[in-house]
Amino acid sequence: MIISRTPYRISFFGGGTDYPVWYAKNGGCVLAASISRYCYISSRYLPPFFQHKHRIVYSIVEGVRDVDEIKHPSVRECFRFMNVSDGLEIHHDGDLPKQTGLGSSSSFTVGLLHVLHAMKGAMVTPMQVAREAIHVERDLCGDNVGSQDQVEAAFGGLNNILFHEDGAITVRPVTVSSERKALFENHLMLFFTGFSRMASDVAAEQIRNTPKKETELHTMQDMVGEGLSILSGSGAILEFGKLLHESWQLKRSLSTRISNEEIDGIYETARTAGATGGKLCGAGGGGFMLLFVEPDKQPAVRSALKKYLYVPFKLESLGSQIIFFEPSGPPESSA
């Protein structure tokens, strides 16, 4: 049995510049962090006593004889990519629901690839597994995905991630004092809007609109540097929240599918109750809303948004990890 634990992430600034349609021409950068909510993937060789060869357990249970029969796109393509031939049983458990803007799909793919490499006795670097996850999601599954989710899930931490025109990726950990980081962390609140969406569908319109939104995307990209200056400086941390508000107004303009009347209502309710700023996490259309709120105003915000689930969290720094490793070879009779 081998188990991986892979964090979800929140993105603060630069979202939209991590799509190749943008960074292949302009370069891109994001400011993002992994959080202490995780995707767990366990894997073991399946004894040959069943009619099925592979068993995949997530929101449904699949028992198949052949990899091509697997319905879960990421599992099917990861198995193909890793040339899985022996029977495997895969279990997925997540702290948060899928399709909610916290990079859960990429965390799943990163965690699964990490486990499959470990099953083969191989150690992988965070960059290797991140690039492989991007390839699986974008090229093999055909999803409209950016490149930040996979990198953040693999590396963990609070990072400035750069996407270069030639396809290279640079991860720069953000170095701030423990006191400044705690102050920042204590201003963050996360609420579940109660509905999910297919990120790939929402992102498709944004990608199509990219050539018409160059001014907005350049501005959003510049905000990464502004956010970093606020975090690493000694000035008022509330400036970060104000910048989030500005960024959200720009992001809403990138596509008609990013926000809607209910999401706008949640955000305005939070602002009226005391939130300095915030944003919808991920591609938009639903999922989790991140808010920046002074600690003494957080009870009022929670009360105003009491119909929505509040999810406390901390920032984490480990990224995808193998947390249980008890390897065993495939059963001889399954060969």
Side-chain angles (χ1 to χ4, degrees):
M1 176 75 71
I2 297 175
I3 304 174
S4 69
R5 186 188 71 179
T6 306
Y8 301 126
R9 67 95 188 97
I10 50 177
S11 179
F12 301 107
F13 301 111
T17 72
D18 64 317
Y19 290 100
V21 66
W22 174 261
Y23 67 71
K25 177 182 177 183
N26 304 283
C29 61
V30 300
L31 176 60
S34 57
I35 64 174
S36 59
R37 299 288 178 160
Y38 301 95
C39 161
Y40 298 87
I41 305 287
S42 63
S43 178
R44 68 176 185 128
Y45 286 110
L46 191 64
F49 307 124
F50 311 100
Q51 291 186 346
H52 51 266
K53 182 176 182 179
H54 303 291
R55 187 169 185 261
I56 302 98
V57 181
Y58 49 110
S59 55
I60 65 174
V61 179
E62 294 190 52
V64 302
R65 291 292 305 166
D66 188 86
V67 169
D68 294 338
E69 299 172 12
I70 298 174
K71 294 179 182 178
H72 193 295
S74 180
V75 176
R76 183 182 63 247
E77 299 307 329
C78 283
F79 274 32
R80 286 172 173 168
F81 177 75
M82 293 294 296
N83 298 313
V84 171
S85 57
D86 297 299
L88 293 183
E89 182 169 40
I90 303 291
H91 279 251
H92 164 254
D93 294 284
D95 287 340
L96 299 173
K98 63 181 180 179
Q99 299 170 5
T100 52
L102 298 179
S104 58
S105 296
S106 295
S107 293
F108 178 95
T109 303
V110 167
L112 178 56
L113 287 168
H114 206 165
V115 159
L116 295 178
H117 277 291
M119 294 287 288
K120 293 176 177 287
M123 295 180 64
V124 288
T125 66
M127 186 60 76
Q128 178 184 342
V129 74
R131 284 194 169 279
E132 288 179 354
I134 292 170
H135 171 63
V136 167
E137 292 188 83
R138 183 180 297 155
D139 303 324
L140 303 184
C141 294
D143 291 336
N144 296 305
V145 295
S147 302
Q148 65 164 308
D149 294 359
Q150 305 86 346
V151 176
E152 189 59 45
F155 279 82
L158 176 60
N159 296 304
N160 175 205
I161 307 173
L162 309 179
F163 304 97
H164 304 280
E165 294 178 25
D166 63 359
I169 299 173
T170 302
V171 179
R172 293 177 177 170
V174 178
T175 54
V176 296
S177 68
S178 57
E179 294 80 11
R180 186 73 169 175
K181 184 177 179 182
L183 176 67
F184 171 65
E185 192 174 56
N186 289 337
H187 280 72
L188 302 177
M189 301 183 77
L190 197 62
F191 288 87
F192 183 46
T193 63
F195 48 93
S196 59
R197 77 290 178 272
M198 286 297 293
S200 183
D201 295 340
V202 178
E205 181 177 327
Q206 182 179 329
I207 291 170
R208 289 194 297 270
N209 291 343
T210 294
K212 299 180 290 185
K213 298 292 183 178
E214 289 197 2
T215 300
E216 291 87 344
L217 285 164
H218 276 299
T219 302
M220 292 171 69
Q221 189 162 316
D222 291 341
M223 286 179 170
V224 173
E226 295 179 54
L228 286 168
S229 295
I230 295 168
L231 281 180
S232 60
S234 58
I237 199 70
L238 282 186
E239 294 302 314
F240 195 95
K242 294 176 182 178
L243 194 64
L244 273 178
H245 176 68
E246 293 178 33
S247 178
W248 173 235
Q249 302 313 307
L250 281 172
K251 181 176 178 176
R252 290 173 68 255
S253 71
L254 297 180
S255 165
T256 59
R257 301 188 64 176
I258 287 176
S259 191
N260 55 46
E261 186 175 338
E262 182 172 356
I263 291 168
D264 289 343
I266 296 171
Y267 185 69
E268 289 309 315
T269 298
R271 290 259 296 166
T272 301
T276 306
K279 57 169 293 195
L280 201 64
C281 295
F288 281 90
M289 179 166 285
L290 176 72
L291 298 172
F292 198 88
V293 190
E294 293 174 86
D296 63 340
K297 295 179 180 178
Q298 290 182 11
V301 171
R302 287 191 65 175
S303 178
L305 298 180
K306 61 185 177 183
K307 65 179 287 188
Y308 301 100
L309 180 64
Y310 169 62
V311 181
F313 70 93
K314 295 291 186 182
L315 302 184
E316 76 94 63
S317 59
L318 296 177
S320 186
Q321 300 281 307
I322 298 297
I323 61 170
F324 183 81
F325 185 73
E326 193 172 273
S328 61
E332 292 184 9
S333 55
S334 67

